[in-house]
């Protein structure tokens, strides 16, 4: 086995390749110099040195002097376009780089780089060298032998290819290496304007070589070939022989081989540093000089090239590793954007390109994908394209036609990629993307990662949009969608209207940035020990919510219309009552007029609060303070409640019914509430009032899909109190729950010091308010307001509560003390709520943080519990292939479209999975109900 490794680089081929890789997004210096080709070539060279560690190396150039091929055939390469000016500028730059890196340059007038490389390769192989010819040029295959290999750059998702004798023979479908020249002679080469035999392509050339062995053998028996192709062969005799001579690489170039001259030597650090500064390759300079000094760039395990097409994740898809900071993306000191940041985004708009992309994606451990669509509503969105990214700085965009059948056909090509059970699929707002794909019959399987959810659990109270995170973590400002489709409004277009070239850049950038964000966010997730929360709770829930949203729920429109009329009558009655009490008519819906009536005319408070604009504050929080003392305030609150019910729900719900399905499809928001609870929009089901009779009637309108189904409701019973009991380990509370004793009566018995049998309804009401209020850190003032009692009585109740339940008080103090130490609290699953004001000198801010320190672990753990229950129930229902469907989640309640044949099974299993979602020391319970509508079932 040869002990020395020589790399010979075909300079011009690699320079051209680098130049065209960045043709759409060139790298321009502050002085206006295009350094794209230099930058790409430099990274290619560094990748070879870092990864392959050659003992010897040389870069070979063509010269401007004509070669023997031009002398014999004046039209040789005559059809080539003039060399781009940027490449002409790049060549001396590349030579300066090579000189500063102390790498020998080889060139000789009258010969091409192919000939120089061929000659040196053959000589080196005889001197105990393993030789690698680094070039994309297929012609070099004729030089391959036992110790000489063709080392082809990565391209379009395919990794570096190292081709030895078996690979060359297989690629060309030939029996001998020298037949590469015969193939080129027969087919010709349009790039070099080598004519070949007109009409003879690869298949025909392979056929002839298998039968006749060589061009000469073919021509000797050309008379045997029948038909028009025979005529072409006979007429093309001279052309074939000329083409073979032109395609033959000269291995006898008069150039010396001195292995000492080709040794891989240390860089000229000063000269190289100065040159990279001049080219404005600042990040690249740090990498290069770190490598020169034995830094981290060299501290990477390498291995010799493998003679196969095995994928290598460290290689980029076009020409080595070009992206700055490609392994660990870091924010630059100055904000960048798509015009300043080096990148490579490609449009995969042919079956061949898609096949190449799929082939590469199938070998990745992880990749990011991002859908481009016509609508923000995933249910109605049409797929315009999908972008994929698997390493920083590069991405691929696959456009889809408007025709659904054609689009599904293209998407079907990617089924193995999306259904891979091993490859991690990354997206930002994953639910939207998998819902869009679901509409096209594609289910995303296997491990998944959502960067929006990752940041949500890291910093729950910040924004989580990709643009915000990009600027925050990468100091990179993405392209705004409004630059493509216009500002929001009736005249805004959609992505289908945008030229594919622009969508390619936009979509690819999204995928690229999301991929980079994942690498950074995952570090924080692991540092916070929140991998389980993300991987076992939040991400699996995405699929559950997507299925629920797609399923939707049926709404009884006639029932809503009837309720709307009733509400309108109630609203008029409430308004007349207000007018009668006030002694005048006014616009009750006007905060300004209402404030003047209450505080100027009726003078219910001489020190009424005013807003910054000078008018009286009449918000609900303000009016509640006066409700117990003034009838008109209660009438106003009733009027507002009725008006809100009518406008927000009763009249709005029918407008939200999907025309295609006839059902309402709410959208669940997973990354909004800092507590971990879900919220929903269009409609907001979490806020449907349940305390008033009219509010509860809205639930009548939510009905089963048909006569074979009923609505099933499963509601956690007093879940937050049970969690408080479990966390505090208060013996009295734990005993009450575990023995199915009413907790509010138990509390009343202890607080008011009476036997359980002597607890009155009023005592229980007050105890219930205390039980729930304690969780939220209620004060004596707050309890007094809610119960309509004096502050002294309220204080006595709270003091007595803590005396009777000492472990609850101790637990609350522990929560606050831990929060003061860490500035955050955690749920049972490790969800954090940051309380940065917990040590504030401002008493109001500190008090708010202290209340959250008590409540957040409890409320957040309740959110964790129902989410886990939803995942387990969803998986069980899928496994059992039930006809029933889980439709809604509202706070601690789950709603099902239950098939009548499955009701009893569903009741048993749903209860079991809910109470065992997270085992506690306290017994959990659910309230289960069945009905012809949601109200009946609840």
């Amino acid at each position: 086995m040869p002990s020395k490794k020589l790399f010979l680089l075909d300079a011009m081929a690699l320079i051209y390749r680098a130049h065209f890789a960045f043709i759409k997004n060139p790298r321009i210096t502050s002085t206006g110099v295009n350094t794209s080709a230099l930058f790409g070539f430099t990274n290619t060279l560094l990748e070879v040195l870092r990864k392959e560690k050659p003992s010897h190396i040389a870069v070979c150039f063509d010269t401007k002097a004509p070669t023997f091929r031009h002398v014999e055939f004046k039209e040789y390469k005559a059809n080539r376009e003039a060399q781009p000016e940027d490449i002409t500028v790049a060549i001396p730059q590349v030579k300066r780089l090579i000189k500063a890196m102390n790498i020998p340059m080889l060139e000789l007038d009258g010969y091409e780089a192919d000939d120089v490389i061929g000659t040196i390769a053959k000589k080196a192989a005889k001197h105990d060298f393993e030789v690698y010819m680094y070039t994309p040029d297929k012609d070099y295959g004729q030089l391959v032998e036992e110790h000489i290999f063709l080392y082809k750059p990565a391209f379009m998702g395919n990794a570096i290819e190292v081709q030895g004798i078996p690979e060359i023979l297989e690629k060309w479908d030939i029996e001998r290496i020298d037949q590469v020249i015969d193939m080129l002679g027969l087919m010709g080469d349009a790039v070099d304007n080598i004519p070949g035999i007109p009409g003879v392509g690869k298949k025909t050339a392979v056929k002839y070589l298998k039968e006749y062995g060589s061009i000469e053998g073919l021509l000797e028996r050309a008379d045997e070939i029948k038909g028009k192709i025979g005529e072409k062969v006979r007429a093309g005799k001279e052309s074939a022989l000329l083409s073979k001579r032109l395609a033959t690489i000269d291995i006898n170039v008069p150039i010396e081989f001195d292995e000492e001259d080709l040794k891989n030597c240390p860089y000229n650090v000063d000269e190289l540093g100065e040159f990279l500064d001049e080219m404005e390759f600042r990040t690249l300079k740090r990498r290069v000089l770190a490598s020169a000094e034995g830094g981290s760039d060299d501290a990477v395990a390498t291995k010799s090239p493998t003679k196969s097409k095995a994928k290598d994740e460290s290689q980029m898809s076009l020409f080595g590793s070009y992206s700055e900071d490609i392994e660990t993306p870091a924010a630059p000191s100055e904000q960048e954007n798509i015009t300043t940041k080096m990148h490579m985004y490609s449009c995969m708009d042919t079956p061949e390109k898609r096949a190449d992309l799929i082939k590469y994606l199938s070998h990745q451990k992880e990749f990011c994908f991002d859908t481009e669509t016509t609508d923000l509503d995933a249910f109605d969105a049409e797929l315009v394209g999908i972008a994929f990214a698997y390493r920083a700085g590069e991405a691929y965009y696959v456009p889809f036609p408007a025709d659904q059948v054609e689009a599904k056909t293209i998407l079907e090509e990617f089924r193995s990629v999306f259904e891979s059970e091993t490859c991690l699929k990354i997206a930002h707002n994953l639910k939207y993307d998998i819902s869009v794909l679901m509409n096209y019959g594609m289910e995303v399987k296997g491990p998944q990662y959502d960067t929006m959810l990752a940041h949500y659990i890291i910093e729950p109270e910040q924004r989580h949009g990709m643009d915000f995170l990009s600027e925050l973590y990468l100091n990179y400002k993405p392209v705004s969608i409004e630059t493509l489709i216009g500002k929001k409004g009736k005249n805004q277009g959609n992505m289908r209207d945008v030229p594919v070239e622009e969508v390619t850049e936009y979509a690819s950038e999204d995928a690229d940035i999301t991929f980079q964000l994942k690498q950074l966010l995952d570090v924080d997730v692991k540092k916070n020990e929140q991998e389980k929360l993300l991987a076992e709770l939040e991400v699996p829930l995405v699929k559950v919510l997507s299925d629920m949203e797609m399923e939707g729920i049926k709404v009884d429109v006639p029932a809503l219309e009837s309720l709307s009329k009733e509400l309108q009558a109630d609203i008029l009655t409430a308004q007349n009552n207000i007018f009668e009490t006030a002694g005048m008519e006014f616009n009750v819906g006007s905060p300004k007029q209402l404030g003047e009536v209450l505080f100027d005319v009726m003078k219910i408070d001489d020190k009424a609060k005013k807003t910054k604009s000078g008018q009286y504050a009449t918000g609900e929080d303000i009016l509640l303070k006066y409700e117990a003392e003034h009838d008109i305030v209660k009438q106003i609150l009733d009027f507002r409640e009725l008006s809100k019910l009518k406008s927000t729900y009763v009249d709005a719900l029918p407008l939200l019914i999907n025309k295609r399905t006839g059902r309402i499809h709410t959208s669940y928001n997973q990354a909004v509430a800092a507590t971990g609870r879900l919220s929903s929009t269009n409609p907001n089901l979490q806020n449907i009032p349940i305390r008033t009779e009219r509010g509860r009637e809205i639930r009548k309108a939510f009905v089963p899909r048909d006569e074979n189904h009923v609505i099933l409701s499963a509601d956690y019973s007093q879940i937050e109190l049970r969690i408080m009991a479990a966390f505090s380990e208060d013996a009295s509370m734990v005993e009450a729950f575990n023995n199915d004793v009413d907790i509010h009566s138990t509390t009343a018995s202890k607080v008011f010091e009476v036997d359980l049998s002597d607890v009155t309804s009023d005592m229980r009401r007050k105890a219930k308010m205390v039980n729930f209020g304690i969780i939220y850190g209620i004060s004596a003032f707050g309890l007094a307001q809610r119960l309509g009692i004096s502050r002294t009585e309220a204080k006595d109740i709270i003091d007595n509560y803590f005396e009777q339940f000492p472990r609850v008080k101790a637990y609350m103090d522990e929560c606050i003390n831990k929060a003061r130490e860490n500035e955050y609290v955690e749920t049972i699953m490790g969800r954090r709520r940051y309380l940065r004001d917990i040590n504030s000198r401002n008493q109001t801010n500190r008090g708010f943080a202290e209340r959250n320190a008590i409540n957040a672990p409890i409320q957040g753990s309740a959110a964790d519990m129902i989410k886990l229950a939803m995942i387990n129930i969803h998986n069980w229902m899928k496994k059992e292939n039930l006809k029933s469907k889980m439709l809604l989640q509202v706070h601690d309640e789950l709603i099902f479209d239950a098939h009548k044949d499955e009701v009893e099974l569903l009741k048993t299993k749903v209860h079991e999975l809910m109470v065992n979602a997270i085992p506690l020391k306290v017994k959990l319970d659910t309230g289960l109900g069945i009905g012809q509508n949601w109200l009946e079932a609840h």
Side-chain angles (χ1 to χ4, degrees), residues 20-38:
F20 285 106
F22 295 104
I23 195 69
K24 290 185 178 180
N25 297 286
R27 187 184 185 94
I28 309 295
T29 68
S30 59
T31 58
V33 178
N34 186 336
T35 57
S36 301
L38 172 66

Side-chain angles (χ1 to χ4, degrees), residues 76 85 203 214 234 420 559 670 676 719 722 765 807 842:
Y76 179 67
E85 184 179 344
K203 288 185 179 179
S214 65
R234 290 186 287 275
S420 169
Q670 215 173 329
I719 187 64
R722 292 174 191 265
R765 178 181 68 87
R807 278 301 307 155
N842 183 299

Side-chain angles (χ1 to χ4, degrees), residues 325-585:
D325 294 317
I326 200 160
E327 297 299 334
T328 53
S333 57
E334 296 181 7
Q335 189 177 74
E336 296 193 89
N337 55 49
I338 200 166
T339 62
T340 62
K341 182 71 173 177
M342 189 59 59
H343 63 277
M344 186 190 73
Y345 299 153
S346 304
C347 182
M348 315 303 281
D349 54 0
T350 67
E352 294 77 17
K353 289 180 180 179
R354 293 195 298 270
D356 283 342
L357 175 60
I358 292 165
K359 188 177 180 183
Y360 185 75
L361 288 173
S362 67
H363 288 80
Q364 301 305 307
K365 291 181 180 178
E366 62 179 22
F367 67 81
C368 176
F369 74 101
D370 179 66
T371 59
E372 294 302 329
T373 66
T374 59
D375 201 299
L376 290 174
D377 185 342
F379 198 85
D380 294 321
E382 294 179 16
L383 189 60
V384 176
I386 307 176
F388 296 89
Y390 43 79
R391 59 184 288 122
E394 62 179 281
Y396 302 91
Y397 176 69
V398 180
F400 283 75
D403 183 270
Q404 291 250 342
V405 175
E406 293 179 25
K408 287 181 179 179
T409 300
I410 293 175
L411 186 60
E412 187 64 29
E413 298 172 14
F414 290 83
R415 183 168 294 279
S416 62
V417 171
F418 283 117
E419 292 189 348
S420 169
E421 294 290 350
T422 57
C423 181
L424 179 71
K425 274 75 71 177
I426 304 163
H428 191 87
N429 191 8
L430 177 67
K431 177 160 66 72
Y432 178 85
D433 294 303
I434 67 172
S435 297
V436 170
L437 295 182
M438 194 185 303
N439 280 334
Y440 282 74
M442 180 65 68
E443 182 178 1
V444 180
K445 297 181 179 179
Q448 295 159 34
Y449 195 102
D450 190 333
T451 48
M452 180 182 74
L453 295 179
H455 187 255
Y456 169 60
I457 66 172
I458 294 167
E459 284 286 355
E461 294 184 88
Q462 282 189 353
R463 289 178 286 156
H464 314 294
M466 192 210 73
D467 288 6
F468 172 76
L469 297 184
S470 178
E471 295 190 45
L472 180 66
Y473 282 85
L474 301 171
N475 202 13
Y476 180 96
K477 186 174 181 62
V479 174
S480 167
I481 192 171
E482 291 186 354
T483 63
L484 276 71
I485 62 175
K487 293 186 177 182
K488 290 181 179 179
K490 62 179 182 179
N491 295 323
Q492 188 179 52
N494 64 57
M495 296 302 280
R496 187 81 73 194
D497 307 323
V498 182
V500 70
E501 296 81 8
E502 294 180 35
V503 183
T504 296
E505 291 289 290
Y506 173 82
S508 296
E509 181 189 60
D510 276 1
D512 177 20
I513 292 302
T514 300
F515 181 83
Q516 295 184 51
L517 286 172
K518 185 266 179 182
Q519 315 310 316
L520 296 172
L521 292 169
D522 209 37
V523 172
D524 287 344
V525 169
K526 290 174 180 175
K527 182 178 69 176
N528 293 350
E529 298 182 345
Q530 293 177 309
E531 302 102 309
K532 185 176 180 180
L533 174 63
L534 182 64
E536 297 182 18
L537 183 66
E538 293 297 349
V539 170
L541 186 66
V542 169
K543 172 61 176 170
V544 181
L545 297 178
S546 175
D547 281 357
M548 289 167 62
E549 290 177 4
M550 291 291 133
E551 193 65 36
I553 188 168
K554 186 177 179 182
V555 173
D556 185 345
V557 175
L560 288 173
E561 291 173 345
S562 175
L563 182 56
S564 179
K565 293 176 182 177
E566 292 177 18
L567 285 171
Q568 184 59 39
D570 290 345
I571 289 169
L572 289 173
T573 299
Q575 180 176 265
N576 290 332
N577 290 337
I578 293 169
F579 292 162
E580 185 177 340
T581 304
M584 60 184 295
E585 292 188 7

Side-chain angles (χ1 to χ4, degrees), residues 746-761:
T746 298
T747 301
S749 170
K750 289 185 174 294
V751 169
F752 297 108
E753 299 178 341
V754 298
D755 289 338
L756 196 61
S757 58
D758 293 331
V759 172
T760 65
S761 59

